[in-house]
Amino acid sequence: MYDTGDKKLNRRKRNILLWIAPVLLLGICLCALNLRIVSDILMSLRRSHSIKEFVGDFQRLRTVERATDFTLLATPKWFLHPDLIRHRSKNVKVDKRGVIYGLSLAGNRKYEQNIKRYVQELVGSAKQLRLFISDDIGIALITDVEIGEIKRVLALWDTSVEELFDFVIFNNFTQAAVNYLDGKSIGWTAKVANMLYTPFESTLYVDADTRFCANPVDIFDVLRGVDMAAAKDSRDKTYSMNTNDINAGAIAFRKTDATVKALFDIIRVIFGTPAGDQGAFAQVISRGVLRFVFLPPRLHVLHCRQLSTGCIVSGQLVLFHGRVWTNIEPSVCKRLNTNTSTRMLRLSKGDLNVFPLEELVEKQRTGRLSSSLFVKSK
């Protein structure tokens, strides 16, 4: 007996469905598993200014996806363990408040060149900080470079671990993450990870391209009742005090549950999107997950850097951030802080001008402004 045409057609349809159903089911599962990365890729495409940038973002996201279980699913916690302390000074007063620097070179392809450059910057900042800091505020270095190598490079600038730091703490997270990613650098994540190793209850993290002109005690005072504080960022002449952009060159924070959760969220943002450290900080802080305040300009002198109009400050100037300021030496600091009344700072072609308030008033009356203090900053 032979099949009719209708029976053959029905059998063919059934066979097609048997093949298609597993394929559709597999496709649905893959879509569900990759929903987040697809969303991030679409966001990257929206943010990218060219196909080349989008391709770079896509490749980065695919690489990071392999590390999801290593970073994104980790339980928020502080990373410091006694076994990771490579050096500790005999000063027992420095456990509560301190300044930390980070030095992360795991996965760096130009290791020897960069370690010398970074350490040279770090030495300049830490040496000047030592001149102003009080005995109850410590200085720590968080690094994925072993202590013997740190001592070798510091000797190139005639200094030592003991002279500069109260703590040297090994960051074992960055090297483990680089190993997990087959030798690829984890970028800005290393900076945030360094903060998780702080030995202090209240911490000021600073980049190496900073210069202190006063004791940072006023910055720690800002932390009373809040979890984190940082300066507003200024990248161009459109800067205004209404912006919520964060400058991550100096981050003050307390060791609280809200802070550690926020730092892990920042790591997730850096891994999940093309955002750098500053964009990630701004994104997480804007969610209201922790108590945050902006540092006033005198505590983190940054706002004037790109402003031709200058900015108004009052009181002691504590911290200058940016390579344009790295020639500000202690003698210049003394002149800058001799008069702590209200004054205007203006940077023009590398030259820093300071105008007392009375001269600003005189300008309004006569239309002329003459600098009573002139500092050549480079």
XYZ file of all heavy atoms in Angstrom, residues 237 301-311 320-325 328 344-355 375-378:
283
model
N 36.467 73.600 28.958
C 36.012 74.923 29.385
C 34.521 74.956 29.704
O 34.009 75.989 30.137
C 36.340 75.961 28.298
C 37.839 76.158 28.104
C 38.132 77.205 27.053
C 39.636 77.398 26.879
N 39.952 78.402 25.848
N 42.948 70.569 44.205
C 43.048 71.640 43.208
C 43.146 71.004 41.831
O 44.183 70.491 41.423
C 44.263 72.548 43.469
C 44.286 73.682 42.445
C 44.208 73.115 44.882
N 42.049 71.039 41.136
C 41.961 70.431 39.810
C 41.148 71.294 38.876
O 41.454 71.428 37.708
C 41.303 69.052 39.931
C 40.935 68.355 38.635
C 42.188 67.718 38.036
C 39.865 67.313 38.845
N 40.109 71.921 39.419
C 39.135 72.612 38.582
C 39.744 73.716 37.732
O 39.245 74.010 36.660
C 38.027 73.217 39.456
C 37.474 72.248 40.449
N 37.160 70.961 40.120
C 37.201 72.364 41.768
C 36.698 70.329 41.181
N 36.717 71.159 42.199
N 40.817 74.343 38.221
C 41.393 75.473 37.497
C 42.240 75.028 36.308
O 42.654 75.843 35.510
C 42.278 76.295 38.427
S 41.548 76.627 40.019
N 42.503 73.735 36.231
C 43.512 73.264 35.276
C 43.145 73.591 33.836
O 43.977 73.993 33.046
C 43.705 71.754 35.449
C 44.867 71.206 34.659
C 45.184 69.777 35.047
N 44.057 68.884 34.800
C 44.109 67.570 35.051
N 45.188 67.054 35.580
N 43.072 66.807 34.805
N 41.875 73.408 33.473
C 41.458 73.687 32.101
C 40.633 74.963 31.978
O 40.013 75.204 30.965
C 40.641 72.511 31.552
C 41.495 71.314 31.137
C 41.684 70.335 32.279
O 41.157 70.537 33.348
N 42.462 69.304 32.059
N 40.599 75.765 33.024
C 39.738 76.947 33.002
C 40.548 78.222 32.810
O 41.358 78.583 33.655
C 38.932 77.045 34.300
C 37.892 75.940 34.517
C 37.199 76.147 35.846
C 36.882 75.929 33.406
N 40.315 78.898 31.715
C 41.037 80.158 31.477
C 40.549 81.250 32.421
O 41.253 82.223 32.669
C 40.825 80.596 30.024
O 39.450 80.775 29.751
N 39.333 81.088 32.956
C 38.781 82.113 33.840
C 39.257 81.965 35.277
O 39.068 82.874 36.082
C 37.246 82.049 33.821
O 36.833 80.721 34.153
C 36.700 82.406 32.463
N 39.851 80.826 35.643
C 40.324 80.618 37.004
C 39.220 80.153 37.925
O 38.068 80.019 37.541
N 39.585 79.881 39.175
C 38.590 79.474 40.158
C 38.918 80.117 41.499
O 40.051 80.484 41.774
C 38.531 77.951 40.286
S 40.007 77.207 40.965
N 47.333 69.131 44.887
C 47.308 69.462 43.457
C 47.408 68.157 42.677
O 48.266 67.315 42.962
C 48.474 70.378 43.083
C 48.317 71.793 43.558
C 48.619 72.139 44.865
C 47.865 72.781 42.693
C 48.475 73.438 45.311
C 47.723 74.094 43.134
C 48.023 74.419 44.439
N 46.546 67.996 41.685
C 46.516 66.748 40.919
C 46.624 67.040 39.429
O 45.918 67.878 38.886
C 45.209 65.990 41.206
C 44.974 64.835 40.291
N 43.754 64.555 39.728
C 45.825 63.882 39.826
C 43.848 63.490 38.970
N 45.095 63.071 38.996
N 47.520 66.323 38.775
C 47.737 66.479 37.340
C 49.191 66.771 37.054
O 49.864 67.467 37.817
N 49.702 66.247 35.950
C 51.132 66.407 35.646
C 51.516 67.864 35.412
O 52.685 68.218 35.518
C 51.509 65.542 34.445
C 51.502 64.060 34.788
C 51.932 63.162 33.638
N 52.025 61.783 34.090
C 51.006 60.929 34.123
N 49.811 61.329 33.731
N 51.170 59.705 34.558
N 50.535 68.698 35.116
C 50.831 70.118 34.950
C 51.268 70.744 36.273
O 51.920 71.793 36.296
C 49.594 70.852 34.380
C 48.483 70.940 35.406
C 49.969 72.232 33.868
N 50.935 70.093 37.413
C 51.264 70.644 38.724
C 52.514 70.018 39.350
O 52.914 70.426 40.438
C 50.111 70.405 39.704
C 48.779 70.959 39.330
C 47.648 70.243 39.079
C 48.403 72.331 39.198
N 46.601 71.072 38.803
C 47.044 72.362 38.870
C 49.103 73.535 39.331
C 46.351 73.555 38.657
C 48.409 74.714 39.121
C 47.063 74.719 38.790
N 55.292 71.853 41.334
C 55.000 72.661 42.517
C 55.749 72.071 43.703
O 55.382 71.032 44.241
C 53.481 72.710 42.796
C 52.794 73.482 41.671
C 53.195 73.341 44.145
C 51.305 73.673 41.870
N 41.838 83.977 43.835
C 41.555 83.305 42.575
C 42.834 82.685 42.019
O 43.893 83.330 42.015
C 40.981 84.274 41.541
C 40.583 83.585 40.232
S 39.931 84.729 38.986
C 41.447 85.480 38.381
N 42.724 81.424 41.552
C 43.829 80.758 40.874
C 43.527 80.721 39.389
O 42.404 80.421 38.982
C 43.992 79.324 41.383
C 44.185 79.113 42.883
C 44.385 77.626 43.161
C 45.350 79.918 43.414
N 44.528 81.023 38.597
C 44.342 80.950 37.141
C 45.620 80.399 36.515
O 46.713 80.888 36.787
C 44.016 82.327 36.557
C 43.679 82.255 35.063
C 43.115 83.565 34.548
N 44.099 84.638 34.567
C 43.826 85.892 34.256
N 42.594 86.240 33.951
N 44.776 86.811 34.279
N 45.438 79.356 35.716
C 46.560 78.719 35.033
C 46.514 79.093 33.564
O 45.503 78.895 32.890
C 46.488 77.201 35.190
C 47.674 76.407 34.640
C 48.920 76.676 35.479
C 47.355 74.922 34.644
N 47.608 79.661 33.058
C 47.671 80.060 31.660
C 49.030 79.692 31.087
O 50.064 80.175 31.563
C 47.423 81.566 31.527
O 47.558 81.981 30.185
N 49.033 78.800 30.093
C 50.259 78.359 29.422
C 51.295 77.831 30.414
O 52.489 78.099 30.307
C 50.847 79.500 28.599
C 49.942 79.976 27.472
C 50.574 81.105 26.682
C 49.648 81.583 25.569
N 50.231 82.687 24.774
N 50.820 77.103 31.405
C 51.725 76.501 32.375
C 52.105 77.400 33.528
O 52.815 76.975 34.434
N 51.666 78.653 33.513
C 51.999 79.593 34.580
C 50.803 79.767 35.516
O 49.681 80.021 35.070
C 52.393 80.958 33.997
C 53.658 80.860 33.156
O 54.494 79.998 33.464
O 53.790 81.630 32.193
N 51.048 79.612 36.807
C 49.999 79.741 37.806
C 50.016 81.147 38.391
O 51.031 81.607 38.902
C 50.211 78.714 38.927
C 49.251 78.794 40.110
C 47.831 78.512 39.653
C 49.669 77.815 41.198
N 48.882 81.818 38.307
C 48.733 83.152 38.878
C 47.737 83.106 40.025
O 46.707 82.424 39.950
C 48.230 84.143 37.812
C 49.259 84.344 36.716
O 50.102 85.225 36.792
N 49.202 83.492 35.694
N 48.050 83.822 41.113
C 47.181 83.880 42.285
C 46.818 85.340 42.535
O 47.701 86.186 42.685
C 47.875 83.281 43.526
C 46.931 83.304 44.709
C 48.363 81.869 43.237
N 45.521 85.625 42.577
C 45.043 86.985 42.760
C 44.237 87.076 44.053
O 43.192 86.416 44.178
C 44.154 87.410 41.587
C 44.829 87.306 40.247
C 44.603 86.207 39.440
C 45.688 88.289 39.805
C 45.216 86.096 38.198
C 46.307 88.188 38.575
C 46.076 87.097 37.764
N 53.646 82.422 40.003
C 54.374 81.162 40.189
C 54.486 80.483 38.831
O 53.486 80.202 38.189
C 53.644 80.227 41.167
C 54.414 78.926 41.312
C 53.501 80.900 42.525
N 55.709 80.222 38.418
C 55.909 79.489 37.166
C 55.883 78.001 37.507
O 56.741 77.512 38.242
C 57.222 79.866 36.501
C 57.346 79.365 35.063
C 58.566 79.965 34.399
C 58.698 79.532 32.948
N 57.539 79.962 32.123
N 54.871 77.277 36.995
C 54.690 75.893 37.409
C 55.362 74.879 36.520
O 55.313 73.693 36.755
C 53.182 75.567 37.479
O 52.587 75.725 36.215
N 56.001 75.303 35.447
C 56.767 74.346 34.644
C 57.790 75.064 33.792
O 57.753 76.280 33.688
C 55.850 73.509 33.769
C 55.255 74.233 32.575
C 54.500 73.247 31.719
C 53.978 73.942 30.451
N 53.311 72.998 29.563
